Amino acid sequence: MEKIYERDAYESKFSAFVGEVLEKDERLHIVLDSTAFYPGGGGQGCDKGTLDAGSGLAQVINVYEKDGKIWHECEMSGSFSSGQKVEGLIDWERRYTMMKSHTAEHILFHCLKDILKDIEMVKVQIAQDGSSIFVRYPGELLMDNVIEAEKCANSIANKRLKVTVKEYKKEEIPKGTRAKLENIDSEIVRVIHIGDFDICACAGLHVKKTDEIGIIAISNLTREGTGQHKISFLVGQDAQDYLLQTKLACERACSILQTTSDKLEKTAGNLRAEKERLEYAVKSLNERILDEMKPARLKDHYLYSKLLSGMDNKKLMEKVGELIKTGRTIVLLANKEGDKGFLVIAKSPDTYIDIKEVAEKAFAKMNGKGGGQDNFISGAGEGSKLGAAFGFAEEELTEKLMA
Ligand SMILES: [Zn+2]
């Protein structure tokens, strides 16, 4: 059985004859005497496309290798039978994107390795909608390092280096080849040469010349557990679209912050420092308000009530605990933080007033829920409805105390 993609990765249309046909779970699994459909491998996804037999059209949704045969898993209309001639058509956009991405991955990793010699490849994931390199690095992997590798990779890709595929016996592979030989079962190793720049053992499909890749753009860097990182990248038009989108987002942020892109980082840093300073000031102010809070005398009880915003809820609870140590006291405190509202109602042990019912109704008014003990109930709900809940609770408690 001929694997056309091994001889020519650019053949997207081919004629072949149907060999075995199996039906499984309403899908046909077809073997052909030759195929250009790549079953996937080397981290690259399989091809998709169609098989047209005249008497039926099969959508190839998965391709896999089993027992030395390439199986085409198809959703189909019409019939297929052994010996029939079919016209195969590969989804070329999908395949070509993966060929470009796979070649870009070799270059990008080589550049990374030149910058950080202790970096190790864990695995690659080559897909149509974006690809990733998973690496292990003992130090801190910074976006700056990755961007430096991106710059290097783009300059290599622009050099129009020839990409060639060669086969070697395991013991004869050229010096400097990146390969995990312990993971390769066969005696013959497929090696990809990118000009004189890179040599790497790989089962995937690649372009013939590096400038076919177009732009290579890093789209994300994430930490994947201890020492492991995922570097995501895009190629060609997708990379260009991504860069334009990023530029647009940057310009919009500049317009909001009334600054220019060269000053954006500094402006963002200043804003963050300012935000932290203001948050601290609000918290200090809130603490002062709490300390200076005076209760209302309602017949034989004291009622503390205050609506705050930007307060630390833990501090608030501590203060409530302190206030109810005084006899005949009821405390109602509310705190708005962003879109969240927090409410506490508590009373001293010598108070006969029932606060539970008031609390339940107040939490319902802010679409929230509370909990705690009969004399100390707290809960959270919607920030925008906190004012109404607080007002309701204050009125109800006053009425109860004045009764
Ligand atoms: Zn490869």
Side-chain angles (χ1 to χ4, degrees), residues 2 24 79 164 169 265 269 278 304 332 373-374 377 394:
E2 195 201 358
K24 218 162 46 183
S79 65
T164 46
K169 280 184 188 163
E265 195 178 343
L278 283 173
Y304 286 92
L332 163 66
Q373 290 156 349
D374 284 350
I377 307 157
E394 194 176 41

Side-chain angles (χ1 to χ4, degrees), residues 3-175:
K3 297 172 179 174
I4 298 168
Y5 53 83
E6 282 188 348
R7 162 173 62 76
D8 184 2
Y10 287 77
E11 214 168 299
S12 61
K13 282 184 202 166
F14 64 101
S15 301
F17 287 95
V18 176
E20 287 173 73
V21 180
L22 286 177
E23 203 175 337
K24 218 162 46 183
D25 302 328
E26 291 178 13
R27 280 181 181 160
L28 281 193
H29 295 247
I30 301 169
V31 175
L32 304 171
D33 66 337
S34 71
T35 187
F37 279 88
Y38 181 58
Q44 185 175 329
C46 73
D47 284 330
K48 291 184 177 177
T50 54
L51 296 175
D52 190 350
S55 59
L57 182 74
Q59 293 289 341
V60 181
I61 53 162
N62 184 29
V63 186
Y64 59 94
E65 195 162 8
K66 197 182 165 194
D67 307 324
K69 295 172 194 166
I70 309 285
W71 291 87
H72 306 73
E73 185 178 346
C74 307
E75 272 174 357
M76 64 156 309
S77 54
S79 65
F80 271 72
S81 51
S82 189
Q84 217 172 357
K85 193 179 177 193
V86 293
E87 302 299 325
L89 182 66
I90 286 170
D91 176 345
W92 179 245
E93 205 185 313
R94 174 183 163 88
R95 155 77 85 80
Y96 195 43
T97 300
M98 291 203 276
M99 282 162 62
K100 288 189 269 189
S101 302
H102 212 148
T103 315
E105 172 263 309
H106 288 223
I107 299 171
L108 195 55
F109 183 73
H110 189 122
C111 290
L112 262 174
K113 187 102 183 146
D114 282 348
I115 297 162
L116 308 164
K117 71 174 174 43
D118 293 331
I119 202 161
E120 272 178 67
M121 168 80 77
V122 178
K123 63 171 182 178
V124 297
Q125 218 170 57
I126 307 294
Q128 188 182 12
D129 57 352
S131 299
S132 301
I133 308 177
F134 295 78
V135 296
R136 200 177 291 119
Y137 183 64
E140 197 185 348
L141 185 59
L142 302 171
M143 194 45 137
D144 287 27
N145 302 136
V146 180
I147 296 293
E148 199 185 333
E150 178 195 65
K151 195 176 159 194
C152 153
N154 277 297
S155 76
I156 296 293
N158 278 332
K159 280 185 181 165
R160 310 188 71 187
L161 299 179
K162 239 175 133 173
V163 181
T164 46
V165 184
K166 289 179 186 165
E167 287 185 336
Y168 298 94
K169 280 184 188 163
K170 232 178 187 177
E171 58 277 14
E172 288 171 4
I173 60 167
K175 210 172 157 256

Side-chain angles (χ1 to χ4, degrees), residues 2 29 37 40 43 76 99 182 195 209 238 253 283 343 387 397:
E2 195 201 358
H29 295 247
F37 279 88
M76 64 156 309
M99 282 162 62
E182 66 276 15
K209 269 192 165 172
D238 293 340
K283 275 184 183 143
L343 190 84
L397 290 171

Side-chain angles (χ1 to χ4, degrees), residues 317 320-321 324 344-347 355 371-378:
M317 298 278 269
V320 174
I324 56 168
V344 194
I345 306 180
K347 64 174 187 175
I355 58 168
Q373 290 156 349
D374 284 350
N375 72 321
F376 201 120
I377 307 157
S378 65

